[in-house]
Amino acid sequence: MPTPHWPKASTVELEDWGAGSNTLAGSPRASGKILSQNPDGSSECGLWSCTPGSRKVTFAADEFCHFLSGHGTYVHENGEQIPVEAGTLVFFPAGWTGTSIIIETLTKAFMCR
């Protein structure tokens, strides 16, 4: 089996993943593409993007994120603020709950386990 890879992430066509039911403000709409997923669903990685707006978020699994473009802030339910932009790395542990505030469309590479 060949090794999953995308030679140039910026050229990957993302699929529309919809608006979701967790919108707090604006009209954020997500898109993405899965690069690889374990057959048992225990982990996956790929690209994710979302347009501006605010959403309630809870990470069901551990997720490592490398933000590639855009600008926003994640606010943990305890008030901790995590500004994100191109180059930001974040590890969200399973169960992390808060608000995602996207000012400029965010795109990230992610790995969930």
Side-chain angles (χ1 to χ4, degrees):
M1 178 168 107
T3 302
H5 74 287
W6 291 319
K8 191 169 184 180
S10 64
T11 65
V12 174
E13 280 193 47
L14 303 181
E15 301 161 357
D16 184 8
W17 288 357
S21 59
N22 53 353
T23 298
L24 300 172
S27 302
R29 189 166 192 89
S31 58
K33 188 149 186 149
I34 302 300
L35 172 63
S36 181
Q37 183 177 47
N38 279 354
D40 66 0
S42 62
S43 70
E44 70 179 13
C45 62
L47 293 173
W48 172 92
S49 187
C50 191
T51 60
S54 298
R55 305 174 306 121
K56 178 81 170 166
V57 293
T58 298
F59 290 85
D62 290 340
E63 184 170 325
F64 174 76
C65 305
H66 178 194
F67 289 87
L68 305 173
S69 64
H71 177 73
T73 302
Y74 284 81
V75 182
H76 190 273
E77 62 188 358
N78 70 10
E80 174 190 24
Q81 294 193 20
I82 304 165
V84 295
E85 61 184 15
T88 302
L89 303 176
V90 182
F91 175 76
F92 294 102
W96 192 99
T97 299
T99 304
S100 167
I101 304 164
I102 300 172
I103 305 303
E104 178 187 337
T105 298
L106 278 176
T107 301
K108 68 181 179 184
F110 69 90
M111 173 71 182
C112 299
R113 62 171 181 168

